[in-house]
Amino acid sequence: MADIINFTIDGKECVAEKGTLILQAAQENDIYIPTLCNYEGVKPQGSCRICTIKTNGQFVTACTTPVADGMEIENNTEEINDLRKSIIELLFVEGNHFCPACEMSGDCELQALAYRFQMMVPRFTFQFPKREIDARNPKILMDSNRCIRCKRCIRAIKDEKERSIFAFHGRGRNIEVHIDPDLGSKLTDELAERSVTICPVGAILPREKGFRTPIGQRKFDHEPIGSEYKY
Amino acid sequence: MSKPVIATATLAGCFGCHMSILDIDEKILDLIELVEFNKSPIDDIKNFTKKCDIGLIEGGCCNSENVHVLKDFRKNCNTLISLGECAIMGGLPACRNPIPIKECLEEAYLNGPSVKGHNESGIIPNDDEIPMMLDKVYPCHEIVKIDYFLPGCPPSAELIWNALTALITGNEMELPYEVIKFD
Ligand code: SF4
Ligand code: SF4
Ligand code: FES
């Protein structure tokens, strides 16, 4: 039988199997930890830092750190939530997020996190970078104004030979996600749909199907992201 | 006690936020009982006639006139509020921000499909009477200090109402999930 370990999150007694990642262990105990770069079924990479928690005085990412016996985890505290909020704010000023004109508005995870953490205005200066829209692919449209470089598309969307259809191009703050022209041209309907779903924001959009869900019926219209968890 | 005084302005906005102020429906009757309006397009008072308690700003700053009005509001209002996405982050007018101003003007007056060939002298308007365009559209809080931010495009009437009543009564503002939206 697997080893069962005990730990606490914000003082609440929790149990998990040894080796479980903190994020999953929290979810199994009905506790919400926000995520952005993480996607169920895709190997975690710990890059966005939204899932940051505190244990033993250290900040660590819950999506990549395994839970340990006796661990005392701080999650839903003012300090950590403000840290998370600051990351969301950074993402908003670092790209061009014109939510009123965005097709993903209402279904976007970044926006939903901003709602959950009550971002009224980012504390940082807006950058308004020059970014491109790539409309060459017949099935999807890439709008890098809204890309948060989470790499979910690169990590999850592969062809039948396990080759990534999306890739990073450039370096540093100018990095952009591009579609491989060759593999992209052979994108199946199914993979196109999946890449739209896998992108947490409105950076990958389906063509010829704008604003599919009416306001009021979108994912985050009525309930905050993470509402499926009790705590 | 005299009624709190409110002033409002539209800078680089579409007037949608002002429409949303009016969208509080019959509560507008309560509002005029509660407050007095000063400089505002709602009552068409053009200049401040007294110091105001609350200033509501719709739209960001896209030209010198916007900056002038905004600074005037800061001077004359104790509490200044950015109302809506354009005031908070530039909004749709700020879609031009990544593009150099020269390119924007050339597209608008010389090269755009609706002007190409119709502006033979190749003039880009530049009269002293016309407010000078800024290099980009600035969120209001990057020009003056802003005290509160009410997001939305437009902010819902409920959010505006909750904010105003909280400010007037001094009670804490109600912020149910559904009133904070960016669209
Ligand atoms: S991707 Fe999300 S945050 Fe960005 S503009 Fe669209 S809805 Fe807003
Ligand atoms: S395109 Fe979407 S999924 Fe891919 S890195 Fe950008 S935000 Fe992430
Ligand atoms: S979700 Fe853990 S670092 Fe992004």
Side-chain angles (χ1 to χ4, degrees):
Chain A
M1 211 191 90
D3 276 351
I4 297 294
I5 55 172
N6 298 290
F7 61 102
T8 64
I9 298 184
D10 296 331
K12 184 181 179 288
E13 305 277 346
C14 300
V15 288
E17 247 178 56
K18 197 173 170 211
T20 311
L21 296 166
I22 294 173
L23 174 66
Q24 194 195 335
Q27 290 170 345
E28 287 167 5
N29 287 275
D30 221 357
I31 294 169
Y32 174 65
I33 298 179
T35 57
L36 207 42
C37 69
N38 203 58
Y39 197 83
E40 218 186 317
V42 180
K43 191 168 169 248
Q45 68 169 13
S47 66
C48 76
R49 320 309 277 183
I50 268 294
C51 66
T52 296
I53 51 100
K54 198 173 180 182
T55 181
N56 207 10
Q58 301 272 347
F59 291 111
V60 295
T61 47
C63 69
T64 54
T65 314
V67 69
D69 199 21
M71 217 179 216
E72 290 172 14
I73 296 168
E74 289 174 45
N75 170 43
N76 191 8
T77 68
E78 214 172 291
E79 179 192 30
I80 295 168
N81 285 338
D82 187 59
L83 202 84
R84 291 168 177 165
K85 193 175 173 185
S86 71
I87 296 172
I88 299 161
E89 291 169 359
L90 272 173
L91 290 170
F92 266 87
V93 301
E94 176 265 1
N96 293 311
H97 294 274
F98 298 100
C99 295
C102 178
E103 287 169 50
M104 255 341 138
S105 190
D107 290 311
C108 163
E109 291 176 36
L110 176 63
Q111 187 191 58
L113 285 165
Y115 291 165
R116 182 172 176 119
F117 290 97
Q118 299 199 325
M119 180 190 93
M120 305 304 255
V121 65
R123 69 195 76 173
F124 308 104
T125 310
F126 285 97
Q127 301 295 304
F128 298 116
K130 183 149 174 51
R131 302 256 189 92
E132 299 297 332
I133 295 175
D134 182 356
R136 284 172 298 185
N137 189 281
K139 294 196 174 134
I140 52 172
L141 192 115
M142 300 282 308
D143 187 344
S144 54
N145 289 291
R146 304 174 185 142
C147 173
I148 55 168
R149 293 84 179 257
C150 66
K151 256 178 121 177
R152 270 162 51 163
C153 55
I154 301 178
R155 291 180 290 150
I157 309 296
K158 314 257 174 134
D159 73 353
E160 67 289 349
K161 289 186 189 143
E162 281 299 298
R163 290 176 297 189
S164 283
I165 290 164
F166 298 88
F168 269 157
H169 179 88
R171 293 231 171 264
R173 65 197 297 240
N174 296 321
I175 208 161
E176 282 193 353
V177 171
H178 285 190
I179 319 175
D180 183 288
D182 192 34
L183 300 180
S185 66
K186 292 179 224 141
L187 200 64
T188 61
D189 286 338
E190 205 191 332
L191 270 188
E193 186 63 39
R194 189 165 145 73
S195 37
V196 172
T197 318
I198 215 122
C199 179
V201 291
I204 304 179
L205 296 172
R207 299 196 63 144
E208 298 174 13
K209 283 181 223 141
F211 298 97
R212 291 188 285 186
T213 321
I215 293 179
Q217 293 171 29
R218 304 169 305 180
K219 236 198 254 156
F220 306 114
D221 277 340
H222 305 292
E223 293 218 302
I225 189 168
S227 293
E228 61 275 36
Y229 300 101
K230 198 159 157 210
Y231 306 102
Chain B
M1 202 185 89
S2 58
K3 288 183 188 177
V5 187
I6 296 188
T8 75
T10 303
L11 309 179
C14 71
F15 237 82
C17 297
H18 272 77
M19 289 299 156
S20 208
I21 300 177
L22 301 179
D23 198 30
I24 56 178
D25 298 330
E26 75 282 359
K27 285 208 283 280
I28 194 104
L29 298 173
D30 298 338
L31 189 64
I32 45 177
E33 283 300 314
L34 279 172
V35 304
E36 171 190 331
F37 276 88
N38 201 266
K39 180 177 158 82
S40 166
I42 291 175
D43 55 18
D44 211 23
I45 297 180
K46 309 276 192 218
N47 293 305
F48 283 103
T49 56
K50 57 163 94 164
K51 188 99 177 152
C52 296
D53 297 288
I54 303 167
L56 292 170
I57 303 289
E58 164 188 332
C61 290
C62 80
N63 63 30
S64 53
E65 162 76 8
N66 297 153
V67 174
H68 174 79
V69 174
L70 182 58
K71 287 186 170 164
D72 198 28
F73 264 73
R74 181 68 277 181
K75 220 185 293 160
N76 286 288
C77 302
N78 291 330
T79 301
L80 203 53
I81 304 177
S82 270
L83 181 66
E85 290 304 305
C86 297
I88 293 174
M89 55 80 64
L92 291 202
C95 285
R96 78 161 159 100
N97 283 9
I99 305 162
I101 180 75
K102 186 162 182 280
E103 246 175 78
C104 288
L105 289 168
E106 284 172 356
E107 181 71 10
Y109 290 103
L110 307 178
N111 306 328
S114 61
V115 285
K116 211 174 174 129
H118 300 286
N119 182 0
E120 271 150 37
S121 39
I123 291 174
I124 294 176
N126 186 23
D127 194 282
D128 284 347
E129 294 288 315
I130 304 173
M132 182 71 99
M133 292 262 278
L134 305 182
D135 61 332
K136 60 176 190 181
V137 179
Y138 289 84
C140 291
H141 64 278
E142 292 185 14
I143 305 282
V144 300
K145 181 181 170 4
I146 297 288
D147 303 296
Y148 297 103
F149 300 84
L150 300 177
C153 184
S156 70
E158 196 185 343
L159 179 66
I160 299 172
W161 175 253
N162 290 357
L164 286 181
T165 45
L167 273 174
I168 293 164
T169 59
N171 293 329
E172 199 159 319
M173 184 175 166
E174 278 177 53
L175 274 179
Y177 176 74
E178 286 180 278
V179 306
I180 305 179
K181 289 284 146 68
F182 300 163
D183 58 6

